[in-house]
Amino acid sequence: MTITDIDRLHVLMALMTGDEKHSPAATSTLDALWVLYDRVLQVSPETVAEPGRDRFLLSKGHGPMAYYAVLAAKGFFPEELLTGFGAYDSPLGHHPDRTLVPGAEIGSGSLGHGLPIAVGTALGLRAQGLAQPRVWVLIGDAELDEGSNHEAIAYAGPAGLERLHTLVIDNSSATYGWRGGIASRFEAAGWSAETVDGRDHDALYAAFTAPHPGRPRAVVARVEPKNA
């Protein structure tokens, strides 16, 4: 990604103003989101309704500005909508609404439900015989304090959901953590897992595209601490 690209994304994010922006929650995801949408995900405004598309689920929905900026940059909706962020008559709410935001697969904001939904989505695609679409879900490290995520992790490994990918943004927000690091939690449940620098685009791309036959994949993207 060139400096022009990243500057453009920051300009788009700056168009979204107002209170309760959860800016750290958003900026922590910006690089990983861009690498996914620019280099990995097989989905576009033209294919957003096709059964064979990749699915991206934003579970970390309480800080959606980076998500909105990336969707706008990729043409899912006009950039002009960003200036109305959070307004009463804007489709771009403080939590994404899948019925209002073009490109959004789920409504999100309440922590802990995105990964279970992603597991269900992967199972549904498998049941339909759709072997190509990949399912990606972005969660925050603090979401791993939620028991629903531990149940999803424990199920997905033995189920061999290799089309399932979890991106964990680690900005040191979790209350409890995991001995040995977040990646070891996934590995203990039979996942392929890797920890990378969440600002290094080449490292992110390599981790996102690494082969993991027969196993779901988790990428832990470490960024600066939330309160730094």
Side-chain angles (χ1 to χ4, degrees):
M1 182 179 185
T2 67
I3 191 65
T4 302
D5 293 326
I6 199 163
D7 283 349
R8 180 59 179 160
L9 288 174
H10 282 292
V11 168
L12 292 177
M13 287 186 66
L15 296 176
M16 292 172 274
T17 60
D19 297 330
E20 299 183 4
K21 292 203 309 178
H22 290 284
S23 292
T27 55
S28 65
T29 68
L30 184 62
D31 295 87
L33 278 171
W34 180 255
V35 173
L36 273 178
Y37 272 90
D38 191 52
R39 301 171 63 181
V40 178
L41 291 175
Q42 297 297 310
V43 64
S44 68
E46 295 73 33
T47 63
V48 72
E50 293 185 3
R53 73 189 184 280
D54 286 345
R55 273 74 165 170
F56 173 79
L57 284 58
L58 181 70
S59 185
K60 190 180 169 74
H62 58 291
M65 289 92 69
Y67 182 48
Y68 292 158
V70 169
L71 288 177
K74 284 299 181 181
F76 286 87
F77 55 79
E79 295 177 4
E80 290 74 18
L81 287 180
L82 298 174
T83 58
F85 167 70
Y88 177 77
D89 58 351
S90 172
L92 307 182
H94 291 289
H95 293 175
D97 184 331
R98 70 175 183 85
T99 67
L100 299 177
V101 180
E105 293 281 355
I106 61 170
S108 58
S110 298
L111 299 181
H113 72 295
L115 182 51
I117 292 175
V119 169
T121 301
L123 286 170
L125 291 170
R126 175 189 282 181
Q128 295 175 71
L130 295 172
Q132 293 306 310
R134 296 165 296 182
V135 180
W136 282 87
V137 57
L138 186 154
I139 69 175
D141 62 314
E143 289 192 74
L144 293 174
D145 292 342
E146 303 286 344
S148 55
N149 279 329
H150 288 282
E151 293 181 11
I153 293 169
Y155 177 85
L161 297 180
E162 66 177 280
R163 306 308 286 173
L164 174 64
H165 305 75
T166 299
L167 168 60
V168 184
I169 302 296
D170 180 7
N171 63 357
S172 302
S173 295
T175 300
Y176 305 112
W178 188 265
R179 185 182 298 275
I182 293 173
S184 67
R185 169 67 186 96
F186 286 87
E187 290 170 338
W191 291 56
S192 165
E194 183 176 351
T195 302
V196 298
D197 181 346
R199 301 303 186 191
D200 185 328
H201 291 205
D202 289 337
L204 286 165
Y205 176 74
F208 291 164
T209 57
H212 50 95
R215 295 189 291 168
R217 175 72 168 165
V219 176
V220 181
R222 299 189 67 178
V223 298
E224 60 278 358
K226 181 177 179 179
N227 295 321

